[in-house]
Amino acid sequence: MRTRSLILLILLVTLTFLGAAWLIVQPCLAADLTGRVVGIIDGDTLEVLHHQQAERIRLNGIDCPEKRQAYGQRAKQAASELVFEKEITLQTYDIDTYRHTIADVILLNLNRGRNTRWDLCESDC
């Protein structure tokens, strides 16, 4: 009985800690950020300068070939032509397993607030 109570106490403390951590992290997600695209890693991964620091951004809802895969260089080129050295707005959602922010990328001046992933999907890559 004592072991069971100890396990329940440990579980309760762990869940409380995780809940508190989520409350701290959650406001950082689903936020709007702005920045300048300073690098294109591949067709679905960008580097955005935010607060003088480059941050890796994965495009939400799109999976392009990697650089060394078929059409990988074309996917990277398409992303570069669309967003490289441009000011963008990010609508963040989550963080992936590589600790990259997952976000929608919006170019306000060029496509009237349209989500960039649709432009990439319509390109020839």
Side-chain angles (χ1 to χ4, degrees), residues 36-51:
R36 184 173 202 77
V37 178
V38 294
I40 306 294
I41 306 305
D42 55 29
D44 58 8
T45 308
L46 317 170
E47 281 195 340
V48 176
L49 193 61
H50 180 68
H51 294 300

Side-chain angles (χ1 to χ4, degrees), residues 7 12 19-20 25-26 32 35 39 54 57 70 80 85 93 95 98 107 125:
I7 290 172
L12 180 64
V25 171
Q26 194 268 339
D32 286 341
I57 305 296
S80 182
E85 293 187 342
Y93 292 101
I95 297 173
Y98 301 104
L107 286 164
C125 65

